[in-house]
Amino acid sequence: MAERKTITLPLTEETIEGLRIGDHVEFRGVIYTARDAAHKRLVAMADAGEALPLDLRGQVLYYVGPTPARPGEVIGAAGPTTAMRLDPYTPRMLELGGKGMIGKGGRGPAVREAIRASHAVYCIAVGGTGALLNRHITSVEVVAFEDLGTEAIRRLEVDRFPAIVVNDAHGGDLLEAGKAEYRTSTRPVPTASGTGGG
């Protein structure tokens, strides 16, 4: 049965070991924003042997490009980006020490295997709730690639940031498990029926 767990960041091996698909988690601490352009630049820097602008070890990357903050707010809408767009870069990011990701939708087979092999975790934040998720973000600071605008890497302080574990370090996949359960369910097949009395 899925549990609700409070996770203090950065992620530890012990914490990751205890997470299972379907767990509802609430993150506390620091997560970093990173989308396509930032991933591409980080991987290129690493492949060139250059020092990265942040230490990825144990960190959670949130696939988001937040909108500008309105007066009195810390950040604008901060809903998740479709994670599969980051699949080409994810195995390398995990090699560099990343341990957690938050996005929207499922991951491809190669990424699912990389998550298992790297003992990492992928979670989803519910799409379309960006204006609600920002309530769990208490501070924002651009830490790298400011020239990328909304895709710059930002350091977010979060409190009870909600997500659901979709891929765990044990090879589990919540979305695939859901599809399998649906295929094997014994629901009765609807049949056409007349409208007359009998």
Side-chain angles (χ1 to χ4, degrees):
M1 182 179 224
E3 295 182 27
R4 183 174 296 278
K5 300 178 178 179
T6 299
I7 306 296
T8 300
L9 301 170
L11 289 171
T12 65
E13 292 291 333
E14 181 180 5
T15 296
I16 294 170
E17 179 68 24
L19 293 174
R20 295 292 188 278
I21 59 171
D23 284 349
H24 288 241
V25 298
E26 293 181 344
F27 290 111
R28 283 189 168 135
V30 173
I31 61 178
Y32 291 91
T33 71
R35 280 182 38 170
D36 312 42
H39 274 68
K40 182 177 181 180
R41 195 174 290 186
L42 287 170
V43 168
M45 291 176 70
D47 290 347
E50 300 174 23
L52 299 184
L54 72 159
D55 185 351
L56 291 171
R57 290 175 296 180
Q59 301 301 337
V60 171
L61 296 179
Y62 182 25
Y63 302 153
V64 61
T67 63
R70 290 184 290 189
E73 293 187 341
V74 170
I75 194 171
T81 294
T82 301
M84 202 166 281
R85 289 170 49 182
L86 287 303
D87 278 10
Y89 310 106
T90 298
R92 184 71 171 112
M93 297 293 282
L94 293 173
E95 289 175 5
L96 294 170
K99 283 295 184 180
M101 299 149 287
I102 304 171
K104 179 175 66 175
R107 312 305 299 261
V111 170
R112 296 198 299 266
E113 173 55 25
I115 289 169
R116 186 202 61 77
S118 300
H119 204 253
V121 64
Y122 166 65
C123 301
I124 57 170
V126 180
T129 61
L132 299 176
L133 291 172
N134 71 356
R135 298 177 187 175
H136 299 277
I137 299 169
T138 59
S139 73
V140 181
E141 177 190 4
V142 174
V143 295
F145 312 150
E146 189 169 6
D147 61 299
L148 295 180
T150 191
E151 293 207 34
I153 295 178
R154 290 168 168 81
R155 180 184 187 273
L156 307 182
E157 289 270 1
V158 299
D159 182 39
R160 298 179 61 195
F161 188 94
I164 301 169
V165 177
V166 170
N167 295 105
D168 61 29
H170 312 283
D173 185 302
L174 182 64
L175 302 181
E176 292 299 319
K179 291 176 189 175
E181 182 177 351
Y182 180 80
R183 284 194 297 266
T184 59
S185 68
T186 55
R187 298 178 188 183
V189 177
T191 58
S193 60
T195 59

